[in-house]
């Protein structure tokens, strides 16, 4: 099978953003995944339509994104997660790929719990989780806050934005880390889609 015959993977970024910071990350994931050759849908979960539910159902991969509020994903994202129960009951998302990203005002901010929430949601749907696959940055005397994965997460992309600044102040390294996640999920989705096509053939 030549590369030109490989199926184009479909990636959906399902996210909520309270103050715009997480939306910046969602756009970074979208742009990088599209740049890596995927068809990408950007879906605001607090405004989701029936057509967008259909897009999620038809996706090869779904990337979950939410700010971390009070140690977990936002209420709007939790509402969306509960609404996916219809898909859970029919196994509509079984064997899709999943990944995630989150933002909080604090360097830690219990973001790990939000990423773990995403992984459990994915596991309940029978999805396969795609990690960030970056070594931690900014963890030595010669390192820099401008390193990729400067906050040292492995499950997904973690970002920090000061709570007294707007979305324009999202850290450039966090945007670059989200872009890395977008490229990675697109590449993994392409491999996954190609494997499915090969098995079907």
């Amino acid at each position: 099978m030549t590369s030109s015959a490989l199926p184009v993977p479909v990636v959906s970024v399902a996210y909520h953003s309270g103050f715009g910071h997480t939306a910046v990350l969602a756009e970074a994931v979208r742009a990088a995944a599209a740049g890596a050759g995927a068809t990408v849908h950007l879906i605001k979960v607090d405004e989701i339509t029936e057509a967008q539910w259909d897009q999620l159902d038809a996706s090869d991969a779904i990337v979950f994104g939410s700010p971390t509020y009070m140690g977990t994903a936002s209420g709007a994202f939790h509402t969306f997660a509960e609404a996916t129960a219809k898909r859970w009951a029919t196994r509509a998302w079984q064997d899709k790929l999943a990944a995630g990203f989150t933002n909080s005002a604090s360097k830690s901010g219990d973001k790990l719990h939000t990423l773990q929430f995403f992984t459990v949601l994915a596991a309940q749907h029978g999805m396969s989780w795609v990690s960030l696959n970056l070594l931690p940055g900014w963890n030595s005397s010669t390192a820099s806050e401008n390193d990729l994965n400067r906050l040292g997460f492995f499950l997904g992309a973690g970002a920090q934005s000061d709570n007294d600044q707007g979305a324009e102040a999202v850290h450039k390294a966090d945007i670059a880390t989200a872009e890395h996640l977008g490229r990675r999920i697109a590449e993994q989705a392409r491999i996954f889609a190609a494997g499915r096509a090969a098995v079907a053939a």
Side-chain angles (χ1 to χ4, degrees):
M1 180 180 288
T2 64
S3 59
S4 61
L6 291 175
V8 175
V10 179
V11 176
S12 286
V13 183
Y15 77 99
H16 172 247
S17 183
F19 298 95
H21 306 94
T22 309
V24 171
L25 301 175
E27 172 55 28
V29 172
R30 184 209 65 77
T39 297
V40 189
H41 305 297
L42 200 59
I43 298 171
K44 296 180 179 180
V45 299
D46 53 332
E47 300 176 2
I48 192 167
T49 65
E50 283 302 319
Q52 289 173 324
W53 279 113
D54 292 342
Q55 288 177 337
L56 291 172
D57 294 345
S59 296
D60 297 297
I62 301 174
V63 186
F64 301 125
S66 170
T68 294
Y69 293 154
M70 301 306 292
T72 188
S74 66
F77 193 92
H78 274 269
T79 298
F80 161 76
E82 291 182 17
T84 69
K86 292 180 180 179
R87 271 70 191 170
W88 173 84
T90 62
R91 311 315 289 158
W93 294 359
Q94 181 174 297
D95 296 330
K96 296 183 185 299
L97 299 182
F101 60 93
T102 186
N103 176 83
S104 72
S106 299
K107 295 294 190 294
S108 170
D110 291 322
K111 285 188 278 283
L112 177 59
H113 186 262
T114 299
L115 293 173
Q116 290 171 329
F117 170 73
F118 291 157
T119 64
V120 172
L121 175 64
Q124 289 202 346
H125 281 283
M127 304 170 81
S128 297
W129 187 260
V130 176
S131 66
L132 184 60
N133 192 31
L134 277 177
L135 293 175
W138 202 20
N139 65 352
S140 72
S141 62
T142 58
S144 164
E145 69 171 296
N146 295 310
D147 293 341
L148 285 176
N149 197 20
R150 68 187 182 112
L151 300 179
F153 287 90
F154 291 89
L155 278 184
Q160 181 271 331
S161 303
D162 293 337
N163 62 15
D164 60 349
Q165 292 186 301
E168 71 283 352
V170 175
H171 201 287
K172 300 301 183 187
D174 294 341
I175 294 173
T177 301
E179 290 170 342
H180 169 87
L181 180 65
R183 286 189 293 272
R184 176 161 165 75
I185 195 68
E187 291 163 0
Q188 294 301 304
R190 178 179 294 107
I191 293 169
F192 219 65
R196 280 181 170 170
V199 169

